[in-house]
Amino acid sequence: MSGVGSWVRAGRHAVVTGGSSGLGLEISRQLVGRGVGVTLLARDEAKLATAAQALRAQVADAAVRTRSVDVSDPDAVVDAFAGLAADHPIDVLINSAGIMREGYFETLPAAAFTDVMDINFFGTVNAIRAVLPHLPHPGGRIVNIASLAGLTGVFGYTPYCAAKHALVGFTNALRFEMEPQGIGVHLICPGEFDSPLVEALDATRTPENRAHTLTIPKVPVETIARETVAALDSGRDQVIPGRVPALVSTGQRLLPAAGKLVGRRKVAQVYRGPGHP
Ligand SMILES: NC(=O)c1ccc[n+]([C@@H]2O[C@H](COP(=O)([O-])OP(=O)(O)OC[C@H]3O[C@@H](n4cnc5c(N)ncnc54)[C@H](OP(=O)(O)O)[C@@H]3O)[C@@H](O)[C@H]2O)c1
């Protein structure tokens, strides 16, 4: 969908947190390909510059800006969005910034929980709080990248599932408040896809997590980004990208006992536990 009547069109401005890597970068690539101006927002300036350069190399006339900010710092985020909006009115905020901490609950440090909550949950809350005064009412959009791990439990993901479940609940509540103001709120719940986050996870993840997570096959990041961008055009408020993850998720919702049984079996096949040397 890109013709007359599409929400996604040239002249729009999207701010993408986590835009320097993985899904945020792929969403940005697809948006600039449709003429949308994009501001990539993340912490590492060198990564931001490399990502912006890659987008400019891939898409002629790409309007790409960058802004270094830590989404877990509420004051810095307010300043960043005020500056961005003063330069270019913002039409949509896409919250993709996130980190991963995986491991057995007994061996994870307390900081794993605070870090994941601070970035994956409060980072999104901070960005939305900061962008709202600058989004058009009506007409603005907010997209939150949650996870299938926000809809179900996953071995090894006690911090990550906690943050993503919080994000799902927050998003579904916020939508009721935003819709009367004409602001669309979209929730995207991908299953696992290849990205730098997963590459790092693969180096350390527990065997139980690998077996449990990969019960659902990976979906290409391009597909996840395409379905995310399509939600802006269609107005769909919740998307589980990929046919198989969507089917499995529906199955788990309708038959929760079967979903838990499959998960238990996958975990039991490789179980090692925290006592392993
Ligand atoms: N990969 C998967 O299998 C998967 C599955 C479901 C959902 N998701 C979700 O999808 C989103 C993107 O994941 P990904 O796999 O694309 O990860 P990624 O490649 O590691 O990208 C994460 C991005 O977030 C930024 N970021 C991290 N902490 C930040 C902070 N405090 N402030 C600002 N930016 C920050 C990173 O840049 P800096 O480090 O430079 O700040 C980077 O740009 C995450 O929300 C993740 O939970 C991923």
Side-chain angles (χ1 to χ4, degrees):
M1 262 211 245
S2 62
V4 178
S6 295
W7 192 91
V8 177
R9 59 177 180 265
R12 297 258 192 224
H13 176 205
V15 178
V16 183
T17 78
S20 64
S21 178
L23 180 57
L25 179 55
E26 179 56 26
I27 291 171
S28 301
R29 195 184 63 77
Q30 295 191 15
L31 288 174
V32 291
R34 288 179 58 181
V36 174
V38 171
T39 300
L40 313 177
L41 196 149
R43 294 167 299 183
D44 185 319
E45 294 199 12
K47 249 168 52 182
L48 280 166
T50 305
Q53 206 175 8
L55 292 180
R56 290 187 196 110
Q58 284 168 31
V59 182
D61 303 325
V64 184
R65 301 166 199 94
T66 62
R67 175 75 199 221
S68 169
V69 72
D70 184 335
V71 291
S72 68
D73 179 341
D75 295 337
V77 173
V78 166
D79 286 350
F81 277 92
L84 294 175
D87 290 343
H88 301 276
I90 301 169
D91 297 292
V92 56
L93 165 67
I94 297 175
N95 287 297
S96 189
I99 59 166
M100 169 59 72
R101 299 285 183 269
E102 191 275 333
Y104 303 110
F105 174 71
E106 295 95 318
T107 58
L108 281 170
F113 288 83
T114 46
D115 290 351
V116 170
M117 287 303 291
D118 279 351
I119 295 173
N120 294 13
F121 176 63
F122 287 110
T124 299
V125 174
N126 293 338
I128 293 172
R129 220 191 261 287
V131 82
L132 268 183
H134 309 293
L135 274 186
H137 297 52
R141 301 292 187 94
I142 295 166
V143 178
N144 289 344
I145 307 295
S147 171
L148 280 184
L151 303 174
T152 186
V154 182
F155 195 108
Y157 279 173
T158 47
Y160 189 74
C161 280
K164 293 296 187 181
H165 274 70
L167 184 56
V168 169
F170 165 75
T171 306
N172 287 332
L174 183 73
R175 185 180 299 115
F176 279 110
E177 298 194 31
M178 292 296 113
E179 273 177 357
Q181 300 184 40
I183 295 191
V185 177
H186 306 267
L187 177 67
I188 314 296
C189 295
E192 189 163 315
F193 56 87
D194 285 326
S195 75
L197 178 149
V198 165
E199 208 175 301
L201 170 68
D202 273 338
T204 59
R205 77 201 313 189
T206 61
E208 297 92 333
N209 172 265
R210 184 189 306 275
H212 195 185
T213 307
L214 296 179
T215 306
I216 301 177
K218 286 185 184 176
V219 171
V221 68
E222 295 81 4
T223 305
I224 294 168
R226 195 171 55 245
E227 293 197 30
T228 302
V229 173
L232 288 170
D233 278 330
S234 68
R236 271 183 77 187
D237 59 18
Q238 178 165 325
V239 177
I240 296 170
R243 219 155 35 94
V244 175
L247 272 173
V248 171
S249 178
T250 303
Q252 283 176 341
R253 197 163 33 82
L254 297 177
L255 296 165
K260 281 183 211 153
L261 186 68
V262 172
R264 283 194 185 104
R265 285 206 173 139
K266 289 278 174 191
V267 168
Q269 280 166 8
V270 296
Y271 187 73
R272 201 176 65 169
H276 192 83

